[in-house]
Amino acid sequence: MPKDRPELPPVEELLTAAVTAVGGVERPGQVKMAQAVRDAVESEEHLAVQAGTGTGKSLAYLVPAIRHAAESGEAVVVSTATIALQRQLVDRDLPRLADALEGLLPHRPEFAILKGRRNYLCRHKMAAGMPEDEDDQLFDPREVSATGRMVQRIQDWANDTETGDRDEIVPGVSDQAWRQFSVTARECLGAQRCPSGADCFAELARERAGEADVVVTNHALLAIDAMEDFAVLPEHDVVVVDEAHELADRVTSVVTGELSEATVSLAVRRAGRLIEQGVADRLQEAGEDLRALLAAAPPGRVDTLPQSLGMTLALVRDSAFACITALGPRNKDKDDPENAGLRKAAFTVLDDVHDTAQRMLDAFGPAAGGTGSGLSADDSDDPDSGAAASKGPAGGDAEAEEVHRAEVVWLEEGRGRVPPTLRVAPLSVGGMLRDKLFGDRTVVLTSATLALGGTFDSLARQWGLRPGEWTGLDVGSPFDHPRRGILYVATHLPQPGRDGLPEAYVDEIAELIEAAGGRTLGLFSSMRAAKAATEALRERLDVPLLCQGDDSTGQLVKQFAGDPATCLFGTLSLWQGVDVPGPSLTLVIIDRIPFPRPDDPLASARQRHVAASGGNGFMAVAATHAALLLAQGAGRLLRSMDDRGVVAVLDPRLATARYSGFLLNSLPPYWRTTDPGKVREALRRLTADL
């Protein structure tokens, strides 16, 4: 402890004061977690903590984090995956905590939220009237009119806002409208060169964060801060990663590159204003070649590089480089902010096109130039299918190559105005996280779902943590799962097929909902299945039935929570994003084990890579993915101490397949049954008691 800082109260005393101030009840798991976070920070060791719903984990990590910030004088960064948790921390938990600890610490704890630069209004871009980047493909007059109204709302709001934060605009505005008033970090001129630098909203947010004890951010910005050469977050030596089960996926999204006709055309439009037209035209022609090639290619993973694709990627790369060269020195026009802004925007997108094309070529190694591409059709989502999950269309050679390749390339088909897009992503982000995030700071990772199959090992591998480098702790849950909830597996039903929702599943869902009197959250593995169930059951049931897509997800959840008779069906975002305590949710139905799709390019490539390295690709990738989502879905049931109910999994493989033990050990310890009669009777009794 620095000599000029007074001795601070112990974590236990601060936690008691905080819990008392918010009117809560101190729980053993909460105290145990707070002590473990304190010990990890003091010993500079990484810590993974599973803390079930109701533990009070936010206070359990915020209290030792604030104490460390007060003691060390450095901020602690708290990273979340969802906007909802960010708002909970900034709008509720941290203000109440600051009030509670103000008299116990040398100063009132300060906190701030910091988002990516793109989330803040750019005064320079607005004042300079820089040309928008939208292309000529927007023909719908209604969309043009709607965007125009949003632009006017942004301009009106800009005169009054003190933060420039996009989230202040209610109702929200489209990305298309917002892009006309914002820049990315790479497009920014920098506070020193920008004429609006002194009043920059993003810089002001960074200044506030630099003075805070706790800085709340998101996983994407945390990754950018760790990966880029420039600092985004203030100096810090401790990071708390909440919702840590999503960290690897969020980081993967940040480092995924994409290339399409649209990205090339954007580069042409930006560069074409500043360089000789003939040079820009060559890049335009390369983009048109790419469009024709991608339009004719089948979507899916690209296992070997076709000669035509290799030549086109090289042409795009070289044409982008020619444009970069034609732009001249990067610091040119430093005394002309408007022109400098246009040049910086052009360099940013040209660099991205060039580097992504090169990255895609590098993914196939120096001998790139094969003649085949496509999906690995026999990568299975279930070992019971008997498929050989490690062979791709290139056979054994492709399997051997997977051991050495670090990235995977795939083609996504176009939808609407979005053209076919080629993407590239790393097979693993563990090495990046190990070197960049965990390397020189202490990291605490926490979630209600970290122990998959009963251990933290699966997620630790995703994070790049090796044995001996971290400690795992499960502080349990205050809920009495065996007495408050039932896990029902419908072993009498057939295994789910690939041809939609079986009729027997629809019948089972109807019987369960009737027994529960509504009160049901239906979690489906696909939007098609959710809609099919909704259409079939609206004709059979007398209870209101909502389906994701009928309205905004937030509004649907609000309706669902407000009427106990209502049911809500949906897919992925509902598996992790619904918090409805009380009698409105007493039955959670899961239609099937949520394995990744067998044609998911990244998951199938990762699975094959593990198998080619001698591991069990299915268990390491598909089963881990399914276990995580199952645990999150099953966790929707008990959200308060008074909740009771049933989690019904219609997929019999959860009880019968040889991997079922791993999945079951990932779930909360509900009382288990396979008897449909017992479950329906339990639901009827529960409904009668409500």
Side-chain angles (χ1 to χ4, degrees):
M1 181 191 304
K3 293 181 180 179
D4 59 341
R5 296 185 183 276
E7 185 172 345
L8 303 180
V11 161
E12 293 84 355
E13 180 181 334
L14 296 175
L15 181 63
T16 298
V19 172
T20 301
V22 301
V25 177
E26 199 168 83
R27 304 189 187 284
Q30 185 182 51
V31 175
K32 190 175 181 180
M33 178 176 174
Q35 293 170 333
V37 173
R38 174 204 60 200
D39 294 345
V41 170
E42 290 180 351
S43 62
E44 299 182 351
E45 293 180 348
H46 304 312
L47 172 69
V49 185
Q50 177 165 284
T53 303
T55 302
K57 65 180 170 65
S58 295
L59 286 183
Y61 65 69
L62 286 174
V63 167
I66 288 174
R67 186 184 187 279
H68 172 73
E71 188 174 62
S72 67
E74 285 201 7
V76 172
V77 170
V78 176
S79 178
T80 77
T82 62
I83 293 174
L85 182 53
Q86 281 187 20
R87 288 175 175 164
Q88 175 189 314
L89 291 173
V90 173
D91 297 339
R92 190 188 73 180
D93 295 349
L94 282 164
R96 296 161 73 184
L97 188 53
D99 290 341
L101 301 184
E102 183 173 8
L104 299 173
L105 296 174
H107 64 270
R108 176 183 171 83
E110 300 290 336
F111 56 91
I113 187 168
L114 188 59
K115 305 175 184 179
R117 190 171 292 269
R118 192 98 213 203
N119 292 279
Y120 299 98
L121 180 79
C122 175
R123 291 186 186 273
H124 173 58
K125 189 169 185 177
M126 184 172 183
M130 297 166 69
E132 62 186 63
D133 289 324
E134 301 304 321
D135 58 23
D136 300 324
Q137 298 177 7
L138 190 62
F139 293 114
D140 189 337
R142 291 171 298 180
E143 284 200 50
V144 174
S145 177
T147 300
R149 289 193 295 271
M150 290 180 188
V151 166
Q152 184 60 55
R153 285 177 50 218
I154 295 171
Q155 291 172 330
D156 294 341
W157 163 80
N159 295 323
D160 302 319
T161 180
E162 296 181 358
T163 67
D165 188 335
R166 176 182 177 177
D167 284 343
E168 283 186 4
I169 307 175
V170 180
V173 296
S174 68
D175 289 343
Q176 180 186 341
W178 183 251
R179 276 197 298 267
Q180 299 180 47
F181 300 91
S182 66
V183 296
T184 65
R186 292 172 61 196
E187 293 168 338
C188 176
L189 287 174
Q192 301 303 316
R193 296 176 60 195
C194 179
S196 301
D199 300 317
C200 173
F201 288 121
E203 290 297 324
L204 292 172
R206 286 192 65 193
E207 288 178 14
R208 288 191 294 270
E211 299 170 355
D213 297 290
V214 176
V215 178
V216 179
T217 188
N218 56 63
H219 293 352
L221 196 62
L222 182 69
I224 292 170
D225 180 71
M227 308 294 177
E228 294 286 357
D229 295 331
F230 53 86
V232 178
L233 299 170
E235 286 291 327
H236 60 282
D237 59 356
V238 174
V239 176
V240 178
V241 181
D242 203 341
E243 301 175 308
H245 61 280
E246 293 199 48
L247 178 62
D249 285 344
R250 298 300 175 109
V251 173
T252 299
S253 296
V254 169
V255 297
T256 296
E258 65 176 53
L259 200 59
S260 69
E261 178 203 5
T263 56
V264 175
S265 294
L266 175 58
V268 171
R269 290 196 300 277
R270 289 189 178 180
R273 305 169 186 141
L274 304 167
I275 65 175
E276 181 184 335
Q277 191 61 45
V279 180
D281 286 346
R282 287 196 290 275
L283 180 57
Q284 181 68 49
E285 291 167 3
E288 291 170 357
D289 289 346
L290 181 68
R291 176 188 62 188
L293 190 64
L294 299 186
R301 198 176 68 222
V302 182
D303 284 328
T304 55
L305 184 65
Q307 185 177 18
S308 57
L309 180 56
M311 293 175 62
T312 302
L313 288 174
L315 181 61
V316 169
R317 175 199 63 195
D318 296 343
S319 300
F321 185 75
C323 292
I324 292 169
T325 302
L327 281 170
R330 291 182 183 253
N331 61 355
K332 180 182 176 182
D333 295 323
K334 61 182 179 181
D335 297 326
D336 181 358
E338 182 174 347
N339 206 44
L342 293 173
R343 286 169 51 77
K344 188 72 178 287
F347 272 123
T348 298
V349 68
L350 285 168
D351 286 340
D352 190 50
V353 168
H354 173 275
D355 294 349
T356 303
Q358 183 63 59
R359 186 176 161 191
M360 290 174 175
L361 290 167
D362 290 344
F364 297 95
T371 58
S373 70
L375 295 173
S376 176
D378 52 9
D379 280 355
S380 173
D381 71 340
D382 183 351
D384 291 344
S385 68
S390 64
K391 300 291 185 182
D397 291 341
E399 177 182 345
E401 184 65 21
E402 283 293 343
V403 179
H404 305 290
R405 284 176 54 182
E407 297 201 293
V408 58
V409 178
W410 72 95
L411 176 63
E412 288 188 3
E413 63 182 337
R415 289 184 175 86
R417 294 199 315 273
V418 178
T421 300
L422 205 60
R423 299 186 187 276
V424 58
L427 282 167
S428 170
V429 295
M432 297 181 195
L433 289 172
R434 175 184 169 80
D435 295 340
K436 303 292 187 178
L437 177 61
F438 298 107
D440 57 358
R441 55 180 61 88
T442 301
V443 181
V444 175
L445 305 113
T446 185
S447 169
T449 309
L450 292 182
L452 304 180
T455 76
F456 294 82
D457 294 347
S458 295
L459 288 178
R461 281 192 295 269
Q462 289 186 14
W463 301 327
L465 293 177
R466 297 170 182 169
E469 296 178 338
W470 59 282
T471 300
L473 173 67
D474 184 354
V475 300
S477 168
F479 298 150
D480 187 350
H481 286 93
R483 300 176 69 88
R484 310 297 295 185
I486 297 173
L487 174 63
Y488 162 56
V489 183
T491 53
H492 64 286
L493 293 178
Q495 287 193 16
R498 301 188 186 277
D499 300 324
L501 200 65
E503 186 63 31
Y505 281 42
V506 177
D507 293 340
E508 184 80 14
I509 294 170
E511 292 173 354
L512 289 169
I513 291 176
E514 287 173 343
R519 312 173 192 276
T520 300
L521 176 66
L523 303 177
F524 293 83
S525 55
S526 70
M527 202 64 237
R528 184 178 66 171
K531 289 181 177 178
T534 302
E535 292 173 4
L537 292 170
R538 276 177 174 162
E539 300 175 359
R540 297 175 54 170
L541 299 175
D542 295 329
V543 298
L545 211 167
L546 308 174
C547 185
Q548 195 172 2
D550 292 346
D551 202 336
S552 70
T553 300
Q555 186 60 34
L556 290 173
V557 172
K558 185 177 180 180
Q559 288 181 249
F560 173 59
D563 180 9
T566 298
C567 301
L568 173 60
F569 288 0
T571 184
L572 188 59
S573 62
L574 299 187
W575 286 75
Q576 304 184 78
V578 174
D579 185 9
V580 180
S584 291
L585 201 171
T586 57
L587 172 62
V588 176
I589 295 176
I590 297 174
D591 70 327
R592 62 183 295 162
I593 298 172
F595 292 118
R597 289 172 53 92
D599 60 356
D600 180 292
L602 196 51
S604 62
R606 287 173 170 171
Q607 184 169 323
R608 191 173 73 175
H609 176 75
V610 172
S613 303
N616 187 323
F618 172 80
M619 293 302 296
V621 179
T624 295
H625 176 275
L628 185 56
L629 276 180
L630 275 175
Q632 286 286 309
R636 299 308 97 199
L637 180 65
L638 302 185
R639 309 302 296 178
S640 74
M641 297 300 292
D642 296 326
D643 287 348
R644 293 182 293 166
V646 172
V647 175
V649 181
L650 308 186
D651 189 337
R653 293 176 296 177
L654 185 59
T656 61
R658 60 180 179 271
Y659 49 81
S660 62
F662 174 79
L663 299 180
L664 288 169
N665 286 335
S666 304
L667 300 180
Y670 298 120
W671 184 78
R672 299 174 186 172
T673 185
T674 59
D675 187 332
K678 286 184 178 179
V679 169
R680 290 195 292 269
E681 181 57 33
L683 285 169
R684 282 191 283 266
R685 288 198 307 270
L686 181 59
T687 302
D689 292 341
L690 293 174

